[in-house]
Amino acid sequence: RRRLRSRPPPSPLGRAASPRPLRPSSPPLVAMAEAASLIEKYKGAESSETSAEFHQKILKMKPEWESYDATRNQAAMLHLLEADAPALKKKMIIQGDVSVLKAGMDALSIQEEKPAMFILTLLYDMLREDSSCFGVFEEGLKKQVPIMRPLLAVLQRQTTDQYIADKAAWILTAVIGNVPWSFGDQDVKSVIDALQRPNGVCSQEGVLEAIVNLLKADTFRSFIWTTQGVAERVTAVNPHTASPPHLYKSVFALWILSSGPEASIYFMPGETVGKIRDVLASSRVEKVVRLSLSVLRNLLTHKVLAEDVVEEGVLEVVQQLEFEKWRDAELYDDIRDMSIQISAQVQSMNNFDRYERELNDGKLRWGFIHSSNFWAANVLKFEKDDFRALKMLAALLNSDDPTTLAVACHDIGEFVAMHPLGKKQIASLQVKDRVMELMGSVNPAYREVRREALLCCQKIMLNKWQDMEGVPVQ
């Protein structure tokens, strides 16, 4: 027996889209012929958003419900539905008799594509135009109208058209996201499995939209995010090559996850912050930039994630945005405000404790605490406890992690260059031979290591030459 949830307050996430303008209708027979032609033209299209023309032709369809076994007894009710009618009218018709909703769900079992396209487009437009229409589905679920089964069957069908699959996925996941107390964990898992099944017919953007809809239900959020493949699908979106709508959905998913008090448990260190940094560095779509700044604002409220924001070099990327040309003047204020907030975090993290924590972890990563500014302010603190931190740093030269080796070589070079006794301390640790060994490594993965080892050796030798300047020639 599936586990039902107690009803939480309505989610503030999401906003109804503006009503779409409708075109004058054509005679039924002409409209059906034109629609059939367009279905063939767009069948298998790789986008969850077809052309406006295709959408309008679907709205003009007039399916002959009497000719299908699944809907013959419900034809009169289905004829009450007009796809191009306002959302309010559709809502009133379905609320007046919930059997109309059941008839629409039954129509999805028809193997022919046109009836499914008509029903799914009608419901999709109604929900997007007026989010209060989710109440229709809530009422239907209370009266045992099957919603989950027919929509899931559409997703699991091997021959489903991509347009149909995307719309069915959106409607089903949007209903779960807005009426989560009517579903259980197993329901959600079945939907995710259908979305991610091999050779699935949903488009990549359609799957991502469906995942975003599911994440709106805080009841299932942790369960969804930890399901295999979900986090990877969201974070794998390439900000350099993804379309703006696809990229926006990816960032929107991260915004949902970052909004709650449990945000820090969802994200791997550096992963989410690095993704947002790359988005801000490459995208110049205003709504994507604005949403990415909102994600950063949420992340800064969590100590661990705030440290990632500082160490991943986000400040420089955000500051650069101020020199871009934006149509929305308020975006400049958002950018400056974020720069101020991150700068405050940088100041609070300009300490030696963070560096020691990284040494204790045994893995070094590029970031602010490995910059010249950090070393200039903290180099004398390495004398603490008989140069304990420096000895730990030298020990990391034997790590098998290329990034750790590269950062360790860099930091040893910074210590030699900035500490008054840097050369002598490094000589006492006898690390020069190991640095030179790394400099000559032929391991293809050690390209960055060889570069940093070379720079480190140069600093050591430069200090030697400087020490000899005052020595008289024999």
Side-chain angles (χ1 to χ4, degrees), residues 255-269:
W255 177 78
I256 293 174
L257 293 165
S258 70
S259 298
E262 69 284 359
S264 59
I265 69 174
Y266 294 134
F267 302 131
M268 295 292 291

Side-chain angles (χ1 to χ4, degrees), residues 148-381:
M148 172 90 178
R149 181 164 42 82
L151 288 168
L152 186 61
V154 172
L155 292 179
Q156 294 171 335
R157 203 178 296 160
Q158 292 291 341
T159 58
T160 301
D161 176 75
Q162 189 175 87
Y163 176 91
I164 293 175
D166 281 351
K167 290 296 179 281
W170 190 94
I171 293 169
L172 177 55
T173 56
V175 170
I176 294 175
N178 284 270
V179 196
W181 46 89
S182 296
F183 300 90
D185 290 347
Q186 188 56 47
D187 294 326
V188 175
K189 185 179 186 305
S190 298
V191 175
I192 295 176
D193 290 344
L195 290 170
Q196 298 192 127
R197 67 185 176 90
N199 303 318
V201 293
C202 281
S203 67
Q204 292 298 314
E205 189 171 332
V207 173
L208 189 56
E209 284 183 325
I211 289 174
V212 168
N213 283 341
L214 292 174
L215 288 173
K216 292 177 182 179
D218 54 1
T219 308
F220 302 114
R221 193 167 297 152
S222 179
F223 174 77
I224 295 165
W225 188 247
T226 54
T227 300
Q228 184 177 4
V230 172
E232 293 81 0
R233 185 176 294 273
V234 171
T235 57
V237 176
N238 189 329
H240 301 284
T241 59
S243 66
H246 200 173
L247 183 58
Y248 182 82
K249 286 295 180 183
S250 172
V251 177
F252 190 77
L254 298 179
W255 177 78
I256 293 174
L257 293 165
S258 70
S259 298
E262 69 284 359
S264 59
I265 69 174
Y266 294 134
F267 302 131
M268 295 292 291
E271 182 181 53
T272 302
V273 174
K275 171 65 66 175
I276 295 299
R277 179 201 59 211
D278 293 344
V279 170
L280 291 174
S282 58
S283 178
R284 292 301 174 261
V285 178
E286 291 193 5
K287 70 175 185 177
V288 173
V289 172
R290 187 180 294 105
L291 187 60
S292 298
L293 293 175
S294 295
V295 174
L296 288 178
R297 189 174 297 109
N298 291 338
L299 297 181
L300 288 176
T301 63
H302 301 271
K303 187 175 185 299
V304 175
L305 298 175
E307 291 177 353
D308 284 346
V309 171
V310 172
E311 295 204 8
E312 291 293 326
V314 178
L315 178 59
E316 292 79 6
V317 175
V318 173
Q319 289 174 332
Q320 189 62 37
L321 294 175
E322 196 170 345
F323 299 100
E324 298 288 341
K325 292 184 178 179
W326 307 106
R327 291 174 297 177
D328 184 359
E330 292 184 358
L331 186 53
Y332 289 101
D333 295 332
D334 293 340
I335 293 169
R336 282 190 287 267
D337 178 64
M338 183 51 55
S339 295
I340 292 171
Q341 290 189 45
I342 299 177
S343 295
Q345 290 290 332
V346 169
Q347 293 299 321
S348 67
M349 286 183 60
N350 190 12
N351 58 67
F352 193 60
D353 293 338
R354 175 61 181 164
Y355 192 93
E356 287 188 309
R357 286 201 299 272
E358 195 167 283
L359 288 175
N360 289 327
D361 290 341
K363 284 191 175 182
L364 305 181
R365 291 292 178 265
W366 294 111
F368 175 78
I369 57 174
H370 302 288
S371 65
S372 296
N373 289 338
F374 171 84
W375 277 96
N378 294 277
V379 68
L380 295 180
K381 295 179 182 179

Side-chain angles (χ1 to χ4, degrees), residues 64-214:
E64 297 178 2
W65 302 114
E66 299 87 349
S67 62
Y68 304 108
D69 292 338
T71 57
R72 182 172 294 116
N73 296 331
Q74 303 161 308
M77 285 186 292
L78 290 171
H79 281 307
L80 296 174
L81 296 174
E82 299 175 0
D84 56 356
L88 179 60
K89 181 178 180 180
K90 299 173 190 173
K91 178 181 177 181
M92 292 178 65
I93 291 173
I94 299 175
Q95 277 186 332
D97 187 352
V98 75
S99 298
V100 177
L101 180 60
K102 182 181 182 303
M105 293 295 102
D106 291 343
L108 297 179
S109 65
I110 300 172
Q111 295 300 310
E112 188 177 332
E113 293 174 353
K114 288 179 287 185
M117 282 187 173
F118 177 85
I119 292 294
L120 292 172
T121 301
L122 181 149
L123 296 175
Y124 174 85
D125 288 353
M126 179 182 73
L127 293 173
R128 292 300 298 265
E129 181 180 333
D130 184 355
S131 59
S132 71
C133 292
F134 283 106
V136 169
F137 285 85
E138 181 181 1
E139 190 64 25
L141 287 165
K142 288 179 180 178
K143 295 183 178 179
Q144 304 301 313
V145 174
I147 304 295
M148 172 90 178
R149 181 164 42 82
L151 288 168
L152 186 61
V154 172
L155 292 179
Q156 294 171 335
R157 203 178 296 160
Q158 292 291 341
T159 58
T160 301
D161 176 75
Q162 189 175 87
Y163 176 91
I164 293 175
D166 281 351
K167 290 296 179 281
W170 190 94
I171 293 169
L172 177 55
T173 56
V175 170
I176 294 175
N178 284 270
V179 196
W181 46 89
S182 296
F183 300 90
D185 290 347
Q186 188 56 47
D187 294 326
V188 175
K189 185 179 186 305
S190 298
V191 175
I192 295 176
D193 290 344
L195 290 170
Q196 298 192 127
R197 67 185 176 90
N199 303 318
V201 293
C202 281
S203 67
Q204 292 298 314
E205 189 171 332
V207 173
L208 189 56
E209 284 183 325
I211 289 174
V212 168
N213 283 341
L214 292 174

